[in-house]
Amino acid sequence: MSALGVYLRGVLMGAADIVPGVSGGTMAFITGIYDRLLASIRAFDLQLIRHLLGADFRVAWAHVDGGFQLALMAGIATSILTLARGISWVLEHHPVPLWAFFFGLILASALVLLRQVEAWHPLRLVALLVGTAVAAGIALSPMISLDDGLAGVFLAGFLAICAMILPGISGSFILVLLGMYGPTLAALKGFDLTYLLVLALGAGCGLLCFSRLLHWLLQRAHQATMSLLTGFLFGSLLVVWPWKRTLAWVEGSHGQLKPAQQWPTSPLDFQVTTGTDPQVALCLALMVVGFLAVWVIDARWGSAARSAGS
């Protein structure tokens, strides 16, 4: 896989991560780099420390697949720096059509992964249903208050990064559910180093632990794990359903209120409760666009990457 191909996959991951509720792990999955991403994260281990202490930097770079990680991070950073403002503006002023686009994208992603599960049997079906139920439960959960000082901050970072690795649910959405979204934004605005360092430490520990767990599961029970992760995508469709009724709110970065708990509803009920045009025709068109975009991406990159890896 060329550096340009990895970079473009990073661009797609960054674009997905910008939208709260959408995970960059989804893009990693459908573009065929998920296993390699987990392996490169898992390579941050004691052996790497030995290479660094021995000043064997070239071997250390190869050990962590440095070229892959550099190209991927460059792509993610490019998306965040160039698309964040535009996507944030669309999310604020035209959220319903944007969610419709992502609904089509994630639905197609789930179907792409579903095709990769071979020889369905009861265990794999149970894994699919469990993944769907867990993601749906998270999507519909009310916000809780995780107020345990720095220990709570560490736990929030740990759980948020685990969600970010998984396809479907984003880390920012987990922060909202834990009641840590507002405090984290406040810490970023106020440059609270203690808070941010503890959050980063929790995220780093979660990344190292969870990447190893997922890698182990994919190596030992690949098809069942793929079924579970596919279920996460199907369950996360509730997060990106474009017509939702807001049940609870959380304070955003500028003091404005943002939805903290939402419940899917029909376009008609959405119009009645919010007084906003549901834009059904536009949303359906954008769902189709998002759906087709994933199939094009999979045909162009995902299938080739999976064939190369098999």
Side-chain angles (χ1 to χ4, degrees):
M1 186 182 300
S2 69
L4 177 60
V6 176
Y7 171 82
L8 293 175
R9 287 165 170 82
V11 170
L12 293 173
M13 288 180 64
D17 275 326
I18 292 169
V19 179
V22 182
S23 171
T26 302
M27 289 293 106
F29 242 107
I30 67 173
T31 56
I33 62 170
Y34 195 73
D35 288 354
R36 186 174 178 182
L37 176 61
L38 291 180
S40 66
I41 295 172
R42 196 174 63 92
F44 284 84
D45 53 13
L46 292 177
Q47 187 175 348
L48 172 64
I49 295 175
R50 286 195 292 268
H51 291 319
L52 293 175
L53 292 177
D56 201 348
F57 300 119
R58 179 171 297 185
V59 175
W61 181 259
H63 179 70
V64 299
D65 202 356
F68 168 81
Q69 291 207 32
L70 181 62
L72 192 69
M73 292 303 106
I76 293 173
T78 299
S79 270
I80 291 174
L81 293 175
T82 60
L83 300 178
R85 186 179 297 272
I87 291 180
S88 296
W89 183 88
V90 175
L91 188 61
E92 181 179 354
H93 294 90
H94 303 284
V96 174
L98 182 63
W99 288 123
F101 172 77
F102 275 99
F103 183 89
L105 186 151
I106 292 179
L107 176 59
S109 301
L111 294 176
V112 166
L113 293 189
L114 197 64
R115 292 190 308 165
Q116 298 179 39
V117 180
E118 303 169 355
W120 282 95
H121 56 66
L123 177 61
R124 294 174 187 174
L125 181 59
V126 168
L128 176 71
L129 295 176
V130 167
T132 302
V134 169
I138 293 173
L140 299 176
S141 294
M143 185 179 69
I144 65 174
S145 179
L146 188 64
D147 187 16
D148 290 318
L150 293 179
V153 175
F154 179 91
L155 181 59
F158 189 97
L159 295 176
I161 201 68
C162 291
M164 196 170 292
I165 297 175
L166 288 172
I169 303 294
S170 74
S172 59
F173 187 75
I174 295 299
L175 289 177
V176 169
L177 292 181
L178 295 176
M180 300 297 286
Y181 184 74
T184 299
L185 290 178
L188 288 169
K189 288 174 61 180
F191 203 59
D192 185 341
L193 279 178
T194 301
Y195 183 104
L196 295 176
L197 285 175
V198 173
L199 187 74
L201 180 62
C205 291
L207 191 63
L208 293 176
C209 294
F210 201 59
S211 63
R212 281 166 168 74
L213 174 61
L214 276 178
H215 181 82
W216 184 85
L217 288 173
L218 286 168
Q219 291 297 314
R220 299 299 192 280
H222 186 272
Q223 291 297 315
T225 305
M226 288 295 295
S227 302
L228 180 70
L229 297 178
T230 303
F232 285 148
L233 276 181
F234 277 116
S236 71
L237 288 171
L238 293 175
V239 178
V240 293
W241 177 252
W243 302 287
K244 296 184 281 276
R245 176 183 295 187
T246 301
L247 304 179
W249 300 85
V250 65
E251 187 174 331
S253 56
H254 301 291
Q256 77 278 27
L257 293 178
K258 291 179 175 291
Q261 183 187 13
Q262 295 182 305
W263 197 269
T265 187
S266 67
L268 180 59
D269 184 62
F270 173 84
Q271 184 171 20
V272 171
T273 56
T274 67
T276 304
D277 182 3
Q279 301 174 275
V280 176
L282 176 60
C283 287
L284 291 177
L286 288 173
M287 285 180 185
V288 172
V289 170
F291 190 95
L292 293 178
V294 168
W295 284 91
V296 170
I297 291 169
D298 180 65
R300 173 65 180 85
W301 287 333
S303 300
R306 289 190 293 271
S307 299
S310 60

